[in-house]
Amino acid sequence: MSQHPETYVRERATEGRKNLLYPSAPAPLAVPVYDNHAHLEITDGDDPLTLAEQLDRAQEAGVIGVVQASGDLESSRWAVAAAESDQRVLAAVAIHPNDAPTYAAAGLLDDAITEIDELAGRPRTRAIGETGLDFFRTGPEGREAQFVSFEAHIALAKKHGIAMQIHDRDAHDDVLKTLVRVGAPETTVFHCFSGDEAMARIAADAGYYLSFAGNVTFKNAQNLRDALAVTPLDRILVETDAPFLTPVPLRGRPNAPYLIPITLRFMAEELGIDVDELGAQVAANTLRVYGSFDD
């Protein structure tokens, strides 16, 4: 691989953020779980953590594996390198919907999809992601490229028989309609689910998985809590989307897989069930979606 997994791909912006120190670790979980979606190739904070440090801290907190998500060719290569260097990591590879128009404008989208296809065939690549539609950051001029890319990624997930992680921002109806029109992969995950109760019911009825991140704890995110409440336990996943979406009360500080216990405990309280019960269920769900981290 051209990218060593200990070398960061990019840095997270610090503008407007007051505290860039990594928080103290929460009490560890008694029942181990997995971070379903993180971007550990992005450095953050005043004292950035290496991949090994991220994984060691996570393991100490009861988070025993991380699905490393991607958004372009560089991060996809990095994800595969990370997964091949440490059994606590599995890779997801893709061109992000906000990057698809850039590749298309340069005449490189087809070539990029071809390389994603190659990376998807690696044994420790277990998902195509993140792919989907984003009408918040990309205007109407870029939507055609997003649809082309999304449909190509759906085809790759089917071809390789692996899961697909969806990025959906301000595009709920179009994402759902595309999945129906084209036919969703057998295993489809809404990463950082951002819809409401009605969408959660539609997604769950279709057999999709809903992954909840730290923003489920945000005061203004009642729609996410309502969605969580109606999602069957066997369709729930948990993630950080690190280094973004750090849960309350640490919002704005660097996020990392070792902070999953905060979000999981909040989710368990919202659902009115024991955190160990929820942890066991989401761990089983994660392995059902991605397969064993030990293989």
Side-chain angles (χ1 to χ4, degrees), residues 33-44:
V33 299
Y34 304 86
D35 185 347
N36 164 75
H37 186 106
H39 298 276
L40 301 184
E41 85 284 3
I42 301 175
T43 181
D44 193 23

Side-chain angles (χ1 to χ4, degrees), residues 104-124:
L108 298 174
L109 183 58
D110 288 345
D111 290 342
I113 297 297
T114 296
E115 183 169 346
I116 295 299
D117 186 7
E118 295 169 355
L119 293 171
R122 304 293 279 263
R124 293 191 63 78

Side-chain angles (χ1 to χ4, degrees), residues 14-198:
T14 60
E15 184 178 355
R17 299 167 62 202
K18 297 179 181 180
N19 190 335
L20 298 179
L21 292 175
Y22 272 94
S24 299
L29 296 168
V31 175
V33 299
Y34 304 86
D35 185 347
N36 164 75
H37 186 106
H39 298 276
L40 301 184
E41 85 284 3
I42 301 175
T43 181
D44 193 23
D46 289 337
D47 188 17
L49 302 177
T50 66
L51 174 63
E53 288 171 337
Q54 288 274 19
L55 297 171
D56 288 346
R57 285 196 185 189
Q59 192 164 1
E60 291 171 1
V63 182
I64 57 176
V66 177
V67 179
Q68 167 65 26
S70 306
D72 56 18
L73 290 180
E74 190 174 18
S75 59
S76 293
R77 296 168 190 145
W78 194 97
V80 173
E84 292 179 347
S85 72
D86 196 306
Q87 283 199 311
R88 295 172 290 183
V89 181
L90 293 177
V93 298
I95 304 301
H96 193 284
N98 287 326
D99 288 273
T102 303
Y103 280 96
L108 298 174
L109 183 58
D110 288 345
D111 290 342
I113 297 297
T114 296
E115 183 169 346
I116 295 299
D117 186 7
E118 295 169 355
L119 293 171
R122 304 293 279 263
R124 293 191 63 78
T125 301
R126 304 293 178 80
I128 297 295
E130 57 191 275
T131 183
L133 301 173
D134 187 320
F135 297 164
F136 178 78
R137 294 195 182 280
T138 298
E141 71 283 352
R143 290 183 184 178
E144 181 180 355
Q146 287 197 355
F147 277 103
V148 169
S149 180
F150 187 22
E151 293 184 24
H153 282 82
I154 291 172
L156 290 183
K158 293 177 181 178
K159 173 183 176 180
H160 293 280
I162 56 179
M164 181 176 69
Q165 293 188 347
I166 291 178
H167 171 100
D168 164 31
R169 189 166 188 186
D170 289 359
H172 304 324
D173 289 345
D174 286 279
V175 167
L176 291 171
K177 288 177 181 177
T178 301
L179 292 175
V180 171
R181 176 171 52 82
V182 179
E186 182 177 350
T187 306
T188 297
V189 177
F190 275 83
H191 131 71
C192 190
F193 183 77
S194 60
D196 58 11
E197 176 183 343

Side-chain angles (χ1 to χ4, degrees), residues 163-284:
M164 181 176 69
Q165 293 188 347
I166 291 178
H167 171 100
D168 164 31
R169 189 166 188 186
D170 289 359
H172 304 324
D173 289 345
D174 286 279
V175 167
L176 291 171
K177 288 177 181 177
T178 301
L179 292 175
V180 171
R181 176 171 52 82
V182 179
E186 182 177 350
T187 306
T188 297
V189 177
F190 275 83
H191 131 71
C192 190
F193 183 77
S194 60
D196 58 11
E197 176 183 343
M199 183 179 175
R201 291 184 186 276
I202 293 170
D205 287 346
Y208 307 149
Y209 291 83
L210 281 61
S211 181
F212 293 90
N215 56 340
V216 74
T217 70
F218 294 178
K219 183 177 180 180
N220 64 349
Q222 187 59 46
N223 64 304
L224 302 183
R225 293 185 283 277
D226 293 341
L228 174 64
V230 301
T231 303
L233 290 180
D234 66 355
R235 296 289 129 180
I236 294 175
L237 297 171
V238 66
E239 65 172 91
T240 55
D241 201 20
F244 312 105
L245 299 179
T246 314
V248 172
L250 305 170
R251 188 174 181 180
R253 297 178 67 177
N255 199 7
Y258 74 86
L259 297 178
I260 279 278
I262 298 173
T263 301
L264 191 73
R265 290 184 174 115
F266 179 91
M267 291 167 61
E269 184 174 353
E270 284 291 314
L271 292 170
I273 63 176
D274 184 79
V275 67
D276 291 350
E277 177 185 352
L278 181 60
Q281 182 67 66
V282 298

